[in-house]
Amino acid sequence: MLNDIFIKPFVDMFTAPDFLLQVLWEGLVSGILYALIALGFVLIYRSSRIFNFAQGIMVVFAALTLVGLHAMGVPAWICVILTLGVMFVLAVSIERVVLRPLVGQPDIILFMATIGITLFLIGLGEIIFGGENKVMITDELGIPTDSLVLEPWGGLLILEQKDITAVVVAALLVVALLAFLNKTRMGRAIRALGDDHQAALSVGISLQQIWVLVWFIAGIIALVTGIAWGARAGVSFALEVIAYKALPVLMLGGLESITGAIVGGLLIGMLEKLFEIYWGQPLLGGNTETWFAFVLALIVLLFRPQGLFGERIIERV
């Protein structure tokens, strides 16, 4: 038993390095998508201290809107633009109807409001688009679906081109987001709200504008994630469950850290895939990807409650 836990997995990795690369690649693809979703959580929390429970259903709703518009005969890239418009209207509506009336309320009230947003979007999505599974319009968007075959160390490594596209687009989105936060006036305003809420408001930063902006950015992230996950697994309300894999990413990386969201997503994506292949399937019958990330995050929290990249909170009494 000890041999199966501590020795055999590493022997398998050493004797089949091409398969190890395949496992790591699959984990990297999942990890960068987890990181994207986690970024949506982090941005909204930093700017408003609201834990956005609706981020998962926003991924589903954006993907359903894109596919639904195309089913009506709208050209694919026009569908993307229109879907971004829908996500902007959603951001404005959430700020005006839900958040603005609740300014100054306890955090738990705002959190419950995002649960209400989740249930509303589920019902609205089912009414408009139906509950059946749908196929992402990958070909219409120009996303390649072929495979790239490599032979490292004389072995075999298969890279799906749609996964390569997802990684490249996600990486570019992260770079663009970091540039926006660090180089633009509105980006610095978002960071200022995250660093010191009261000081930022006292110098004239508009809370309402920032809320609309960060919810719209979260909508953009949701659309990109929905396209990438939809190309891999189809478009359905089950994507919401996948999106909640961002929760252990936040626990691991820290709820306010953009760096933590990126690093945490990549770590969880690759570690859960490694554990599933080399320990989960041989010893536990598989399906460990459904719980491994949460267990890992809980272990980290036992030793570092603020996460790997979160700031330690010191309260003086």
Side-chain angles (χ1 to χ4, degrees), residues 22 73 85 122 125 135 157 174 176 183 206 218 260:
Q22 185 73 58
I122 291 173
V135 178
L157 176 62
V174 169
K183 302 297 184 182
S206 171

Side-chain angles (χ1 to χ4, degrees), residues 85-309:
V86 169
M87 300 313 289
F88 178 74
V89 171
L90 179 64
V92 174
S93 301
I94 289 173
E95 190 278 323
R96 294 284 176 87
V97 178
V98 180
L99 301 182
R100 187 179 295 188
L102 296 177
V103 171
Q105 296 297 316
D107 293 344
I108 186 63
I109 300 297
L110 294 168
F111 173 67
M112 294 298 293
T114 68
I115 295 179
I117 294 170
T118 300
L119 298 176
F120 172 77
L121 290 178
I122 291 173
L124 183 64
E126 289 181 342
I127 291 172
I128 297 175
F129 305 109
E132 67 276 3
N133 293 353
K134 296 174 177 60
V135 178
M136 178 52 65
I137 52 174
T138 51
D139 292 334
E140 293 83 353
L141 291 173
I143 299 174
T145 55
D146 295 331
S147 299
L148 182 63
V149 179
L150 304 176
E151 298 181 357
W153 299 290
L156 183 66
L157 176 62
I158 301 175
L159 307 179
E160 297 284 345
Q161 290 186 8
K162 60 186 176 184
D163 289 343
I164 298 174
T165 303
V167 169
V168 172
V169 171
L172 291 175
L173 181 59
V174 169
V175 171
L177 179 60
L178 292 175
F180 171 78
L181 292 174
N182 289 292
K183 302 297 184 182
T184 67
R185 183 177 63 86
M186 293 302 290
R188 288 192 290 268
I190 293 174
R191 293 176 59 202
L193 273 175
D195 293 336
D196 192 325
H197 231 65
Q198 294 302 320
L201 294 175
S202 68
V203 297
I205 292 176
S206 171
L207 183 62
Q208 287 75 26
Q209 289 183 2
I210 296 300
W211 278 0
V212 170
L213 180 60
V214 295
W215 278 82
F216 178 52
I217 293 174
I220 295 173
I221 292 172
L223 176 58
V224 173
T225 309
I227 292 173
W229 273 116
R232 305 180 83 200
V235 179
S236 70
F237 285 93
L239 284 179
E240 183 185 6
V241 178
I242 297 174
Y244 290 135
K245 278 292 189 71
L247 297 180
V249 173
L250 297 171
M251 295 162 64
L252 184 66
L255 194 55
E256 298 187 45
S257 173
I258 292 175
T259 302
I262 297 170
V263 175
L266 295 177
L267 277 176
I268 282 182
M270 289 189 285
L271 289 176
E272 75 173 7
K273 186 65 69 173
L274 284 171
F275 187 84
E276 165 73 13
I277 298 300
Y278 292 102
W279 284 274
Q281 292 180 3
L283 300 176
L284 302 173
N287 204 34
T288 60
E289 289 177 284
T290 58
W291 53 262
F292 173 80
F294 295 92
V295 173
L296 176 63
L298 285 173
I299 292 173
V300 170
L301 290 180
L302 287 175
F303 299 97
R304 191 172 173 84
Q306 69 273 30
L308 295 178
F309 293 87

